[in-house]
Amino acid sequence: MTVARWVLLYPITMGLLLQSLFLLLLLLLGSGLHPAAAFPKGCYPSEEEGLKTFRCSNAQLTEVPRDIPNDTNKLYLDSNQIPFLPRDAFRDLPLLLELDLSHNAISRVESGAFQGLAEHLHSLDLSSNRLVSVSKDAFSNLKAKVNLSNNPWLCDCRLQELIRAVELAADSSRGIVCDSSTQEEHVGKAFLQVIADTDFCNVYKKTTDIAMLVTMFGWFAMVISYLVYYVRQNQEDARRHLEYLKSLPSKQRRSEESSTISTVV
C-alpha cells in the first residue's frame, strides 16, 4: 500500500500522528533542549534534584563542547582531554551553578574564560589537571569556591596572588603542592604551608628594587666617569696650549696667554 493511498484511507490517524510530532518538536524547543543527535557523543542532558544537568564525563572531548543548553545549572566535563579554556568558553550559560572540569589536560586558562558566570556559579572544580601557572585575572569577579588541587604548580608570586584572589573549596588547600618553586626547598610542600613563612611577592619586589638600584648606580658611575674624563681632557689641552705659548716671543705670548686664560675661565 502506497503512502498516498494510506493517507486517503486513514486521514484521522495520519492527522493525529503529524500533530503528535509537531507537539514533540515544540516541547523540545520550548525546554531549551536539542535533539540528542546534536550533542557530542557521550553527552546527554538530564535533571538531578530539580536542577538541569548536562553530562559529558569520559566523552573523549578535546574542547569545551558547543550547543550546551543555555538553561543548564550543572555541567560535568570531567575525565576528558580538554587542553585549555579559551576566552568566553561559558558565556552562553548564565544560569550555571556548578562546573566540573576535573581530570582533564588543562594547562592554560585564558583571561575571561569564566566571563558571564560571576553572578550564579558557586562551585568550580579544576583539580587533577596540568596547571602550572595561571593569572588571577582569569578568575576576575568570580565568587565560586574553586578546587585547584593536584596540579603541577609553580610556587611563586603569581600563584600567591591567585590563591589570595579566589575562595578555595573546603579541604582542597592541602592538595595545592609545589611541584616546582623559585626556591628549591619548597618543592613537595603544601603551598599554604610555604607562604605562612615566605612572601613570594615581597621577595620578588626586593629583587626588582635591588636590580633597579644596581642599574641606576651603573648609569650614574658612567656619567661621573665621562665628566671626569671630559674635565681632565680639557685640562690637558689647556696645559699643552700654555706650554706652546711659553715658547713664543714675549709680546705675542702675553696676548695669547690672556686669550687662553679667559677661555679656560
Side-chain angles (χ1 to χ4, degrees):
M1 182 182 294
T2 63
V3 175
R5 184 179 176 83
W6 194 87
V7 171
L8 290 174
L9 291 175
Y10 305 101
I12 297 176
T13 303
M14 193 62 182
L16 291 173
L17 179 60
L18 291 173
Q19 186 177 16
S20 298
L21 290 173
F22 180 72
L23 289 173
L24 179 61
L25 180 61
L26 287 178
L27 286 171
L28 288 171
L29 294 175
S31 62
L33 300 176
H34 303 276
F39 300 136
K41 184 179 179 180
C43 300
Y44 61 91
S46 64
E47 189 164 322
E48 300 176 7
E49 300 176 351
L51 297 175
K52 293 188 176 180
T53 303
F54 193 75
R55 287 189 174 274
C56 285
S57 304
N58 289 294
Q60 299 183 349
L61 298 176
T62 56
E63 63 179 3
V64 177
R66 302 174 184 177
D67 300 322
I68 299 173
N70 56 19
D71 59 351
T72 297
N73 303 128
K74 300 170 70 174
L75 177 59
Y76 293 89
L77 299 175
D78 55 299
S79 303
N80 286 289
Q81 292 102 42
I82 299 173
F84 79 102
L85 300 178
R87 182 180 178 85
D88 295 326
F90 307 98
R91 66 177 179 180
D92 296 324
L93 302 173
L95 302 180
L96 200 60
L97 301 174
E98 296 182 19
L99 176 57
D100 189 347
L101 289 160
S102 63
H103 296 90
N104 273 280
I106 300 170
S107 60
R108 181 163 56 95
V109 180
E110 292 186 356
S111 180
F114 304 109
Q115 189 167 304
L117 301 181
E119 290 298 319
H120 296 91
L121 192 70
H122 63 70
S123 177
L124 172 60
D125 194 343
L126 283 165
S127 63
S128 301
N129 276 283
R130 299 178 185 173
L131 296 172
V132 175
S133 183
V134 180
S135 170
K136 65 177 181 178
D137 296 335
F139 299 85
S140 180
N141 299 320
L142 204 62
K143 300 175 183 177
K145 293 182 179 179
V146 185
N147 188 342
L148 298 171
S149 61
N150 299 319
N151 281 282
W153 290 110
L154 166 63
C155 291
D156 61 358
C157 179
R158 202 176 195 203
L159 179 58
Q160 182 172 313
E161 290 180 339
L162 171 61
I163 297 301
R164 289 176 176 174
V166 301
E167 182 180 355
L168 296 177
D171 300 323
S172 68
S173 60
R174 288 176 293 181
I176 303 175
V177 177
C178 301
D179 187 72
S180 58
S181 176
T182 53
Q183 299 181 34
E184 190 65 27
E185 65 270 20
H186 297 148
V187 175
K189 295 182 179 179
F191 185 66
L192 291 191
Q193 175 188 346
V194 170
I195 59 175
D197 302 316
T198 304
D199 188 338
F200 285 94
C201 296
N202 191 41
V203 170
Y204 175 77
K205 184 177 183 300
K206 286 181 178 178
T207 304
T208 304
D209 290 344
I210 291 172
M212 290 182 64
L213 286 173
V214 170
T215 302
M216 291 175 63
F217 179 79
W219 279 106
F220 182 73
M222 288 177 62
V223 171
I224 295 298
S225 298
Y226 176 77
L227 289 174
V228 169
Y229 169 79
Y230 180 79
V231 170
R232 287 183 176 178
Q233 188 67 30
N234 281 353
Q235 288 177 341
E236 184 65 22
D237 289 343
R239 185 184 64 77
R240 289 175 181 174
H241 191 63
L242 288 173
E243 289 179 353
Y244 166 74
L245 294 177
K246 289 178 182 179
S247 65
L248 296 176
S250 59
K251 189 173 182 179
Q252 183 180 358
R253 184 174 61 202
R254 284 195 298 271
S255 174
E256 290 287 346
E257 283 179 348
S258 57
S259 175
T260 301
I261 292 170
S262 62
T263 301
V264 171
V265 173

